[in-house]
Amino acid sequence: MDDAINCKLDFSSAEITAVIAYSDYNLQNSTTKEAFIEKLEGINFHNEEAVRPNWDTYFLQVAELVSRRSNCIKSAAGAIIVSNKKILCSGYCGTPFNIDNCNKGGCEQCLKKGDKDLDTCFCIHAEINAVLEIGRTKIDNITLYTTLFPCILCVKGMIQAGIKRIVYVREDVINKFSLQLLQEAGVTIEKHSPFVISNYLNIS
């Protein structure tokens, strides 16, 4: 309403659209006024995550953004390493330095149809890229945030690097040997469902 007044809008349909463009969020209702009120009453506006994401959500959202840099055809994951609530480095899926990107033919395995054979794939996974970037000497009170449950190759590297906590969003598959290694090494692993305000408000 304030934006409408400030912009001297008279609430024609075109101008209402202009007001909506100024808003951060908008709720659509195509039925009755009562249904819209019921929708509003179902929203807990006191939920702190609706105003400000918690740390795990924040870091996983950053990892999701990092994943968009992936150039692997079959796996687009992102990972970041965090210490004392500070991002130290990031990693995403892709071929090693001086090797053509996967999406430009650098990894023949990724060009094949069907499941990817990790033993012959040239791509380095997001988690290992992040671990290599930071190096073990800087590991202290470290959490690794990743968009995808790590494969056993990444798990071995993370354990060796000294990672103590892993937080992930989703899994294609959970390898039982990965879980076994993490448990034996004393690494905490947590699945987190980041709060998404558009889902929470049912915004269209």
Side-chain angles (χ1 to χ4, degrees):
M1 180 66 76
D2 288 341
D3 284 333
I5 293 171
N6 293 336
C7 295
K8 298 179 180 179
L9 303 177
D10 63 8
F11 294 102
S12 68
S13 60
E15 289 168 337
I16 289 174
T17 301
V19 171
I20 291 173
Y22 277 96
S23 66
D24 293 321
Y25 308 103
N26 68 85
L27 279 75
Q28 303 284 340
N29 184 57
S30 58
T31 56
T32 64
K33 174 179 144 185
E34 289 73 23
F36 184 67
I37 291 172
E38 184 178 350
K39 183 186 290 187
L40 286 174
E41 289 176 344
I43 298 172
N44 175 13
F45 288 102
H46 297 290
N47 187 327
E48 292 183 1
E49 281 248 76
V51 179
R52 191 181 193 205
N54 68 31
W55 285 110
D56 283 347
T57 294
Y58 168 68
F59 290 129
L60 284 168
Q61 287 174 343
V62 173
E64 286 284 0
L65 180 60
V66 170
S67 73
R68 294 172 62 185
R69 282 286 302 168
S70 295
N71 59 52
C72 179
I73 295 172
K74 292 191 177 179
S75 180
I80 62 171
I81 290 179
V82 174
S83 178
N84 299 315
K85 298 178 181 176
K86 296 186 184 301
I87 298 173
L88 302 181
C89 66
S90 63
Y92 50 85
C93 297
T95 51
F97 290 131
N98 301 320
I99 303 296
D100 284 343
N101 289 335
C102 173
N103 54 12
K104 293 182 178 178
C107 177
E108 293 183 5
Q109 180 61 39
C110 284
L111 296 175
K112 295 179 182 177
K113 294 182 179 179
D115 294 336
K116 181 165 61 173
D117 183 352
L118 296 180
D119 290 335
T120 60
C121 176
F122 287 0
C123 294
I124 302 174
H125 289 183
E127 301 90 341
I128 292 299
N129 261 329
V131 166
L132 291 171
E133 184 71 22
I134 192 67
R136 184 180 175 88
T137 57
K138 296 180 182 178
I139 298 293
D140 178 37
N141 191 28
I142 291 293
T143 296
L144 186 143
Y145 292 87
T146 179
T147 57
L148 193 63
F149 186 88
C151 71
I152 193 165
L153 297 176
C154 290
V155 163
K156 290 186 287 186
M158 288 186 281
I159 291 172
Q160 188 68 6
I163 301 293
K164 294 301 181 186
R165 179 174 179 250
I166 299 169
V167 183
Y168 72 98
V169 180
R170 59 187 179 275
E171 64 280 324
D172 288 340
V173 64
I174 295 181
N175 185 298
K176 66 178 182 179
F177 297 111
S178 293
L179 277 177
Q180 178 184 338
L181 281 175
L182 291 168
Q183 290 167 356
E184 290 183 9
V187 177
T188 301
I189 184 153
E190 304 168 17
K191 183 173 183 178
H192 182 70
S193 298
F195 179 90
V196 180
I197 193 165
S198 60
N199 294 342
Y200 178 68
L201 295 180
N202 193 23
I203 295 169
S204 60

